[in-house]
Structures are given as C-alpha cells and as structure tokens.
Amino acid sequence: MSTGFVVLPDDCTTDPTWLFESPQVIAHPSGKPWIVGRWDADEVVLARAGSVRVVVIGHCPVTTVSLTRLAGRVRALSDADTLARQLSGSCHVIVAAPEGVGVCGTVTGLRQVFHARIDGRPVASDRPDVLARLTGAGVDEGLLAARLATVGLLPAPLGTAAVWSGVSTVPDGHRLVMAGGRAEVLPWWSPPEPELPLDQGASAVRAALEEAVRSRTSHEVPLSSDLSGGMDSTALCFLGARGRPGLLTFRWAEADPGNDDAAFAAHSADLLEHASHTVVRQEELPALFARPADLADTEQPYLFTRTLARMRHTAGLLAERGSRAHLAGHGADELFGRLPGYLHRLLRRRPLLAVRHLRGYQALHRWPRRAALTELARTDSVADWWREQADSLTGPAAARRHPPLGWGLLPLRAPAWVTDAAVDAARSQLRQAARLARPLAADRGQHQFLVALRATAPAYRQTARLFGRAGIRLHLPYLDDRVVEAALAVRLHERCTPWEYKPLLAEAMRDVLPERVRTRTTKGAFDEDLRTGLSRSRDALLELFADSELARAGLISADAVRTQLLTPQADLSRNFAVEQLLGCETWFRAARHLARARS
C-alpha cells in the first residue's frame, strides 16, 4: 500500500526522494520528477493523451485504456473536475497539463491533499508529515490547542487542518492547482440536493455499494471482513461472499454479556455457508487503552487511541490467517445514522411532518421540549456557531440531553486539564474559523452528515496504515465517493427517522442482508469494554501523563489529568476526552522528537 507521495510542479527543483524507502518516480513530459513516493503497482494508473497526463493513486477500478479515453477529454486543468466525478472508488487524481498541475482528493477526507512552499515553489502531498519533514516545519500549537480544547469534536475545516506549521490543507471537495509558482484552491465537488425518495435512492445506494465491493473482490487476493453483527459490516460480508466464497469473517467478542451483537453475528455466520469465521475472546484481546504510549503515526493526533493496540493485534491475526485484504464498515454510521439537523428546513417546508419527527425524537432521546424548540427557532449562520463555541468554550457543560440541531454535532467545551493559555489559543482559532466559515451544504442536516464524515475519515486513513504495516489492504467501501453521493441524494427525512435505524441502508440491502439483521432495532454497546479497559490501563496512563510533553509546553495541567483519571465518573464522556488527549500527547511527543532530530 502507498506510504505517501509528493507532487511537484514542472519548475520545481526540490528533491524529495530521500523521504521514501526505494522511492518511485513518475516524470513530467519534460522528464523532470512529477510524482515521487512509494506505492504498490495496483494502486496507480497512468494515462497520456497528447500534452495531458493523468495519474490515479488509490483504489479506482479504471483501466489504462479507460483512463486514457477520459484524459483525452481534458483540454485544461478545469476539465479534470469532470474526470474526477466520473471515477469510482477512493483515490487521488493528479493531472499535468501545459498550464500546470492539479491535485484532488476525495469528498470525505479519506484521501486529503496538503501543500507547502519550498524555495518559492508550491509542493503537494497526501500526507502533511511528509511535507513537514521536507520543509522542516514544526508543530502548529494553536491548532493543537484547538484540538485539545474540543476533545475530538472540532468540525472541518479546522478539525481536518494539518497540525504542522506552514503546511496548508486543501478543503475536501476542492482541488489544488499549482501553476506559475502559485498554489490556488478551487472547488470541484458539491453535495447533491437531497431530493430522491427512499426507494429510488436505495436502488442507487445498492448499485454503488455493490460496485464498490465487487471492485475489491474481483482479484484473487485472500479476503477477510468484519462481522460484528451490525448492519454495516454484515452487508459487506454478504456482498463480499458473492465474489469470494472462501471469505474469512472476523469479530471481537464483547465484554458485556448483555450485548446482543453476538447473536446476530452468529445468525449471519450460519448463513455464510462457505465462509470461515474467527471470533477472538476478550481475554485474548489487548484491553482498551492498552500500551497508551504507542503511536499510530506522525501525520496527526489519532482519534481512536483506545483501540490502537487492538487494531494492531487484529491486523496481525488476520495476516497470520492468510488475509491480504480486509473489508470494514467504517463510515456507515456517519453516512446512514441519525443526525436530526434536517428538522430545521423540514419545519419550514413541511411543518406537520417536522412536528411528527420532533415528537419521535423527543420520545426516543427524551429531549426537553423547550430546548428542542429553542434550537429549531434559531436562524444563526455557520459563522455564528463558530463564534458561539469560542465564547462558551469554558462555559457550563451542555445539558446531557441537548438536542443536536446546530451546525456542529455537539457544543464544544474544554476539559478541566486544558490550561488558560491553551483555551485562549483555541478561542483564537475558533474565531478565525468563523471569519472563513461556509456551510458544507444548504440544508443543516446535510451539513451535519458531511461534518460527521469528514471528522472521522482522516483517522480511518491512519487505521488503514496500521493494517498496511501487517501486509493487509484495508478497504472502506462506505467511504467511496460514489457511495457517499448516492446516499446524500436521498431526502433527509426518509434517510433518517426516529422510528427506524438506518432506513436507507436497510432498504438498499433488502435481499442481501438476513432479514433478522436488516430489521434489527438494537445496537450493541461497548461501555463495559471501555470501563474495564480504562481501569486496567489507568496506571500506564498516569505514568505517561506524569511526564507529559503537552504539560511541558503549557497546554495541559498534568495534575488536573491525574485528578480526572483518579476521580469516579458518572458516565463515559470523560473516557472519550481522555482518548483525544492521549492522541494529542503521543503525536506531540513524536513531532517534537522529529524537530529535535533535525536541529
């Protein structure tokens, strides 16, 4: 799998080959280096058409012949937008034309684009840490403070920005154009209007998801897939088994005997007659938060540190059992789950239907009526939301049953261990974001779905690297651009309702999923795994933060972290805050080590 690449304009003299072990090079028509990096042969497709060259890096089921035909329609870099929209899968698209070079990633942020300047010329990459090494960049402590103060809830574009100084991030759905010594960021994609009825939308989602899985199972590579018992992973198992009857399914056993995932997973396993199945017992798994000092990688703070040791263990077990490609359902919760921001527009267009939905959510989540009506009456802009978060960052915690109807997913509040200096830096970042803020979609609900997708997709990219180091290609079909587009085109009040769980996915997977799973109304909880894991790993966490690099930088109070770790909790919210803190600590240690090594 690719370990990263750098894209150079034709007039650049920088040599990035030292960044990669056994570097590979694709040249400009002039013969100068264009793309330098490290990738597997099946991850790259190159096409030439006259003076235009197109390279696709990642997963994209396009042949050289087809890509050459598409490249022949590119007359200028702006035509590359149309080309990118015609490709399926999840990939970077890089175009060289006489006027310059264009680079675009995916609409979810699974594949991002970053850029920096070296010797007066722009340079792009799929990894900000690669550019940081190339430019000698240090840590952007303002952005790091914003991450620390918002415990993983920071929306895009601030939440997906590179935490390396001097390294800029191309917003998802935008492309970078490098020409004449300048770098320009331009939009190439916008979300579809959510207008399709459920039945039509479900057909489109099914077709896109079938193609996404088929393109990953058409090669004779040993394949495995998660089989948690939920709808997301189970759908991938049954789609994957069509092209690969010898599928290996995998799941972690639960710590809580009340978790009914096991029953649904066993039922599905019985129906996958030609597959083999592996279930790893709790006592065979690393505890959550085990080996807390471990680092995912140096790209950015990792969001899912609690499962880092388990993911590495899983990748190793699957490799031992012969898997070389693995299907996972990451992204499906963000794409098909319940995000009720759509009630704003629905209330103004179809008030009776909106009131019915609102009553359903009140019954389901016990929202206070006054709080829900107050949120629905708001006419604030995205910029207003960012300013409000800055002002209330150290305010009282949001009510436990606060209706999530704003431009963000939840109100942002700083944890007790963040210092005053870090809060001030975070507020500055939030207010700066307010000045540039634009909605990701006109409908507040559609905006929320894009916020959710883009919040986690970069972390899933880091998870994929964990599997890659074990020799396994991790595939995430739900995050393919065409799958995402198909889902986003469906009417929001039919895509998610208070009465059904993931109705769009359930309808799309009719006759694919076992009916018992497709109509499942429960969701397995892993609270006991989290409590047990934190208890077992508490001493290691205390030892780590007793020598905290973040504390030395004045961003957190080590004493406050210790107090919080030793204080009994009423709920699990602090555990998730600890997870984000841990990701920032381990990353900051590695980033500072790199800086010291360069000096």
Side-chain angles (χ1 to χ4, degrees):
M1 106 177 244
S2 171
T3 57
F5 59 83
V6 173
V7 183
L8 307 169
D10 200 13
D11 59 354
C12 184
T13 59
T14 300
D15 178 12
T17 55
W18 62 272
L19 293 166
F20 305 98
E21 183 179 351
S22 302
Q24 296 156 285
V25 179
I26 299 174
H28 278 284
S30 67
K32 295 179 181 178
W34 174 28
I35 305 170
V36 179
R38 189 71 196 165
W39 48 76
D40 291 340
D42 63 346
E43 290 183 287
V44 171
V45 183
L46 168 64
R48 300 177 179 87
S51 60
V52 172
R53 295 192 178 193
V54 178
V55 170
V56 171
I57 302 180
H59 175 77
C60 181
V62 65
T63 64
T64 301
V65 172
S66 297
L67 188 61
T68 300
R69 184 175 66 253
L70 293 172
R73 301 171 187 169
V74 175
R75 299 290 181 266
L77 286 178
S78 57
D79 297 332
D81 297 4
T82 303
L83 186 152
R85 285 190 289 268
Q86 292 176 303
L87 297 175
S88 58
S90 176
C91 59
H92 286 92
V93 179
I94 308 165
V95 178
E99 70 264 37
V101 172
V103 189
C104 66
T106 59
V107 304
T108 62
L110 186 63
R111 298 180 188 271
Q112 289 180 277
V113 180
F114 305 90
H115 62 104
R117 296 192 74 82
I118 303 175
D119 297 330
R121 290 291 182 269
V123 177
S125 178
D126 65 329
R127 293 185 58 158
D129 50 342
V130 167
L131 290 178
R133 290 177 63 202
L134 193 60
T135 62
V139 175
D140 186 327
E141 292 194 10
L143 274 170
L144 183 61
R147 291 198 178 206
L148 283 165
T150 55
V151 294
L153 295 173
L154 193 60
L158 199 57
T160 55
V163 202
W164 294 96
S165 60
V167 178
S168 300
T169 307
V170 177
D172 303 316
H174 289 64
R175 61 187 171 93
L176 177 72
V177 174
M178 298 184 290
R182 299 187 305 275
E184 186 177 10
V185 174
L186 301 168
W188 73 272
W189 181 87
S190 57
E193 281 297 314
E195 297 174 341
L196 286 181
L198 183 67
D199 55 348
Q200 292 181 30
S203 296
V205 168
R206 177 170 179 147
L209 195 55
E210 284 179 333
E211 171 57 27
V213 175
R214 186 186 305 115
S215 68
R216 291 166 166 91
T217 57
S218 58
H219 306 291
E220 292 301 320
V221 175
L223 181 72
S224 57
S225 181
D226 289 339
L227 181 58
S228 67
M231 194 186 304
D232 314 331
S233 64
T234 306
L236 297 183
C237 283
F238 279 87
L239 290 173
R242 292 175 174 180
R244 197 62 55 81
L247 179 75
L248 167 65
T249 74
F250 182 90
R251 63 183 298 269
W252 298 335
E254 303 78 16
D256 186 350
N259 187 332
D260 60 353
D261 276 355
F264 289 95
H267 174 67
S268 298
D270 287 342
L271 298 176
L272 290 163
E273 298 177 357
H274 302 291
S276 56
H277 309 286
T278 295
V279 181
V280 184
R281 296 176 299 176
Q282 276 285 311
E283 55 269 26
E284 298 172 329
L285 286 167
L288 296 185
F289 291 106
R291 301 193 292 277
D294 285 0
L295 175 74
D297 62 34
T298 55
E299 179 181 326
Q300 64 169 356
Y302 188 46
L303 283 180
F304 308 127
T305 54
R306 72 183 186 274
T307 59
L308 178 57
R310 281 195 179 185
M311 283 297 185
R312 283 196 169 123
H313 185 73
T314 295
L317 286 177
L318 289 171
E320 288 175 7
R321 285 160 173 74
S323 174
R324 293 296 175 266
H326 186 74
L327 297 172
H330 305 322
D333 284 341
E334 296 90 330
L335 189 58
F336 298 107
R338 289 190 182 108
L339 293 174
Y342 70 90
L343 291 175
H344 276 271
R345 178 180 280 191
L346 191 66
L347 183 65
R348 289 152 178 82
R349 293 187 172 185
R350 300 181 63 182
L352 293 179
L353 181 60
V355 168
R356 181 169 174 264
H357 277 240
L358 176 60
R359 288 174 175 167
Y361 282 114
Q362 286 181 280
L364 181 66
H365 298 300
R366 288 183 284 172
W367 290 349
R369 178 177 297 179
R370 178 176 293 180
L373 293 176
T374 298
E375 286 296 311
L376 286 173
R378 297 181 66 149
T379 57
D380 58 330
S381 66
V382 177
D384 293 331
W385 182 89
W386 282 100
R387 282 189 287 269
E388 181 181 349
Q389 303 316 302
D391 294 341
S392 60
L393 195 56
T394 54
R400 186 178 177 186
R401 302 196 181 280
H402 178 84
L405 298 170
W407 288 104
L409 300 180
L410 286 171
L412 306 180
R413 296 292 185 272
W417 50 70
V418 178
T419 64
D420 291 343
V423 168
D424 289 343
R427 281 199 170 110
S428 176
Q429 292 288 330
L430 294 173
R431 287 171 180 146
Q432 183 177 345
R435 290 193 289 271
L436 304 173
R438 298 290 184 274
L440 303 180
D443 189 293
R444 195 174 302 217
Q446 192 83 307
H447 172 92
Q448 283 188 336
F449 275 97
L450 287 165
V451 165
L453 285 163
R454 291 170 179 176
T456 55
Y460 294 143
R461 175 172 69 241
Q462 292 176 284
T463 303
R465 291 199 198 107
L466 298 177
F467 278 75
R469 293 181 196 118
I472 297 175
R473 186 85 55 83
L474 182 65
H475 290 297
L476 309 175
Y478 289 111
L479 292 175
D480 278 12
D481 282 0
R482 304 292 84 82
V483 174
V484 171
E485 281 182 339
L488 294 181
V490 178
R491 294 170 182 164
L492 281 152
H493 66 275
E494 296 183 33
R495 190 193 312 167
C496 50
T497 82
W499 305 285
E500 297 177 76
Y501 183 62
K502 298 181 181 176
L504 175 56
L505 183 59
E507 183 61 27
M509 293 293 98
R510 188 181 293 275
D511 302 325
V512 173
L513 280 167
E515 195 65 9
R516 181 178 169 186
V517 176
R518 196 184 72 82
T519 58
R520 183 182 176 183
T521 58
T522 60
K523 181 174 176 60
F526 292 87
D527 294 2
E528 187 59 32
D529 300 65
L530 195 51
R531 290 190 189 93
T532 302
L534 191 64
S535 176
R536 290 178 181 174
S537 304
R538 184 174 283 112
D539 287 346
L541 286 165
L542 288 168
E543 181 180 354
L544 179 76
F545 286 106
D547 185 33
S548 168
E549 196 76 30
L550 291 170
R552 271 192 287 275
L555 296 171
I556 67 167
S557 163
D559 290 340
V561 174
R562 179 179 178 83
T563 298
Q564 293 294 315
L565 285 171
L566 293 173
T567 302
Q569 302 179 57
D571 57 38
L572 297 174
S573 60
R574 197 186 308 156
N575 290 8
F576 294 113
V578 168
E579 181 176 25
Q580 309 314 316
L581 172 64
L582 180 58
C584 290
E585 175 69 35
T586 53
W587 177 83
F588 191 48
R589 289 181 175 212
R592 283 210 154 178
H593 177 75
L594 286 176
R596 292 189 195 106
R598 287 195 298 260
S599 61

